[in-house]
C-alpha cells in the first residue's frame, strides 16, 4: 500500500485543469517474462476455481453486442438511452458511450485480466456477481473480453463535483535494496516493525522524536526487521510504503523478502523535495538521485532534511514466493497489485475494486488502458486523481519518478 504519492515533489503539488490530445498507449511496465508468468498464474487460478465450486454460466450477450465497431468507433450494441449520472462523495460520474474512451479498441486486455482476477479475491458487493464470468474470460481473446465489457458495463466519465474532468497522474513502485539482519559496517539505518505502544498516543512520535527521544527509542528497541545502508533509501521505502530487501542473513545466506506497510505514526506527510526547494535548491528531480547528490554535498544537514517529513512508516516482513514475485505488495483493497494495471485512488471518488479506463499523456508515458482501483495513499486525494503502480525495481522506479502529468478517468460500472 502506498502511503503517499510516487515521490516527494509530487506529494505537495496540486492538480490543475489541463487540456491535451489523447494518443495511443506506448508504455508497458512488464517484461515478457513477467507477462508470461502472470498469465500462467491467472490460468492456474482459473483452473483451481473450476475444480472447486462450479462457476455459473455466463448470461447471453444482448443482440448486436458482438458486432464490429463502426467507422466512428461506436459498436451497434453501444446504443440506447444513457443512465442518469451518479453522485459520489467526492466526484460526479457522467454516463458516456464507449466510443469516448480513447484507445479502447487497442488495449491488450489480457494483461489487465490478471488484475481483475486479483480484485475478485476480495470483490465488493457490486462486482462480486460478475467474478465468475471474469474468471472464465481469463483465457478468452481480447475481442471476446471487449465484447463482454460492452455488454455488462457502463462507462462513466469521472468529474470533480465542480465539473472538471481533468486531474493529475503520478506513479509509485516497489523499490529493491540490499539489507542486513545485523547493524554494523555499511548497514546502520533500521527498518522497524510496529511498536507495541503505537496505539497509546495519536499521533505517535514524529520522525525527529523517534531519532532523539529515549522514550521513542525504547519503544522500538528489538523491533528492527533489518538495516539498510542509506538513509535516503530508507526514506524511499517510507514514501513508497513497501519494498523488497535482498538480505544478508547471519549465516551468510542471501534471500529476498518483502517489507509491507504495517502502520504509520499518524503524523502528516511533508515533501522533502519541497523542503529542498524552500532551501533554494534549484534541481530536485529526478528523485531520489538529486536528493542523494544534495546529501553528498551537505552531509551535516541530512537529519534536518529527513526531519522535514514527520511521517514515519512501520513494516511487516513477508515471505516472497515465486508466485508472489510476479505481483506487487497488497494494496488497500487487500489484493496484490499488478504492475501497470493497478492504481491508487481516493476511495471517496472511486470505490476499491472498480475497473477504470485511464488516459494520460506526458513526457514520461502515454497511457490509454484498463486499470483497477486497488490502493490509496495519503497524498492521493480528489476526484480525478490516481497513482499508477509501475512495478518493482530500478526500471519501474525510474519511470515512476518521471510521471507527473494530466489525467482523465472513466469508471466501468455494472449495468
Amino acid at each position: 500500500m502506498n502511503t503517499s504519492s510516487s515521490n516527494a515533489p509530487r506529494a505537495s503539488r496540486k492538480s490543475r485543469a489541463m487540456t491535451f490530445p489523447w494518443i495511443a498507449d506506448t508504455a508497458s511496465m512488464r517484461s515478457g517474462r513477467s507477462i508470461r508468468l502472470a498469465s500462467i498464474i491467472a490460468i492456474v487460478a482459473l483452473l483451481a476455481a473450476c475444480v472447486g465450486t462450479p462457476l455459473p454460466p455466463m448470461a447471453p450477450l444482448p443482440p448486436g453486442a458482438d458486432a464490429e465497431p463502426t467507422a466512428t468507433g461506436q459498436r451497434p450494441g453501444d446504443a440506447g438511452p444513457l443512465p442518469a449520472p451518479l453522485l459520489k462523495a467526492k466526484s460526479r460520474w457522467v454516463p458516456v458511450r464507449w466510443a469516448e474512451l480513447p484507445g479502447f479498441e487497442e488495449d491488450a486486455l489480457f494483461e489487465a485480466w490478471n488484475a481483475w482476477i486479483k480484485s475478485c479475491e476480495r470483490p465488493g458487493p457490486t462486482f462480486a456477481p460478475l467474478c465468475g464470468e471474469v474468471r472464465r474470460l481469463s483465457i478468452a481473446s481480447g475481442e471476446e473480453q471487449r465484447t463482454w465489457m460492452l455488454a455488462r458495463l457502463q462507462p462513466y466519465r469521472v468529474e470533480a463535483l465542480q465539473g472538471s474532468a481533468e486531474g493529475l497522474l503520478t506513479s509509485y513502485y516497489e523499490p529493491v535494496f540490499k539489507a542486513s539482519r545485523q547493524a554494523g559496517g555499511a548497514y546502520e539505518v533500521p527498518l522497524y516493525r510496529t511498536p507495541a505502544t503505537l496505539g497509546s498516543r495519536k499521533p505517535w512520535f514524529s520522525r525527529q522524536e523517534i531519532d532523539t527521544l529515549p522514550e521513542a527509542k525504547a519503544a522500538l528497541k528489538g523491533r528492527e526487521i533489518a538495516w539498510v545502508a542509506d538513509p535516503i533509501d530508507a526514506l524511499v521505502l517510507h514514501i513508497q510504503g513497501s519494498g523488497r530487501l535482498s538480505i544478508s542473513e547471519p549465516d551468510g545466506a542471501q534471500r529476498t523478502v518483502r517489507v509491507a506497510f504495517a502502520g504509520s505514526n499518524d503524523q502528516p506527510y511533508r515533501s522533502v523535495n519541497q523542503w529542498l526547494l524552500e532551501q533554494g535548491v534549484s534541481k530536485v528531480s529526478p528523485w531520489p538521485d538529486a536528493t542523494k547528490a544534495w546529501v553528498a554535498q551537505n552531509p551535516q544537514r541530512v537529519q534536518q532534511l529527513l526531519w522535514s517529513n514527520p511521517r514515519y512508516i512501520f513494516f511487516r516482513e513477508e515471505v516472497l514466493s515465486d508466485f508472489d514475485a510476479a505481483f506487487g505488495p497488497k494494496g488497500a483493497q487487500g489484493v496484490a497489485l499488478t504492475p501497470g494495471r493497478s492504481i491508487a485512488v481516493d476511495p471517496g471518488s472511486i470505490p476499491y475494486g472498480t475497473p477504470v479506463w485511464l488516459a494520460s499523456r506526458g513526457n514520461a508515458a502515454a497511457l490509454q488502458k484498463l486499470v483497477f482501483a486497488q490502493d490509496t495513499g495519503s497524498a492521493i486525494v480528489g476526484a480525478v486523481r490516481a497513482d499508477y503502480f509501475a512495478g518493482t525495481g530500478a526500471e519501474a522506479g525510474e519511470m515512476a519518478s518521471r510521471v507527473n502529468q494530466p489525467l482523465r478517468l472513466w469508471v466501468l460500472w455494472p449495468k
Side-chain angles (χ1 to χ4, degrees), residues 15-184:
S15 172
R16 61 183 186 275
M18 303 179 219
T19 58
F20 49 90
W22 304 106
I23 65 174
D25 180 9
T26 60
S28 173
M29 297 313 302
R30 299 172 185 259
S31 66
R33 178 179 179 275
S34 296
I35 293 173
R36 290 193 296 272
L37 178 57
S39 298
I40 291 170
I41 290 169
I43 293 172
V44 170
L46 170 67
L47 294 176
C50 292
V51 170
T53 304
L55 297 177
M58 288 194 292
L61 299 178
D66 57 349
E68 290 294 321
T70 65
T72 62
Q74 181 172 323
R75 293 174 183 259
D78 186 18
L82 291 172
L86 299 177
L87 191 65
K88 300 298 177 180
K90 294 186 179 180
S91 64
R92 180 173 178 261
W93 297 359
V94 180
V96 300
R97 302 294 182 191
W98 284 94
E100 179 174 306
L101 277 57
F104 177 65
E105 299 292 336
E106 289 76 45
D107 188 26
L109 293 180
F110 74 91
E111 297 177 6
W113 233 256
N114 293 312
W116 206 330
I117 290 172
K118 283 294 181 184
S119 271
C120 281
E121 293 176 4
R122 297 193 65 179
T126 301
F127 286 95
L130 296 181
C131 281
E133 296 186 15
V134 168
R135 293 188 181 99
R136 287 186 183 278
L137 285 163
S138 65
I139 54 176
S141 69
E143 183 58 26
E144 290 170 328
Q145 292 167 342
R146 238 177 296 275
T147 296
W148 178 86
M149 290 173 63
L150 184 141
R152 299 285 180 259
L153 305 174
Q154 169 63 49
Y156 292 81
R157 183 175 60 249
V158 181
E159 298 181 354
L161 295 175
Q162 298 76 18
S164 174
E166 296 177 347
L168 176 68
L169 180 70
T170 52
S171 182
Y172 66 115
Y173 77 111
E174 184 181 35
V176 181
F177 297 120
K178 291 183 178 180
S180 173
R181 290 291 187 190
Q182 298 176 328

Side-chain angles (χ1 to χ4, degrees), residues 241-266:
S242 66
R244 300 185 189 186
L245 301 179
S246 178
I247 292 187
S248 300
E249 300 286 3
D251 61 2
Q254 289 284 137
R255 68 189 186 107
T256 301
V257 302
R258 173 174 280 144
V259 283
F261 177 89
S264 78
N265 61 351
D266 289 315

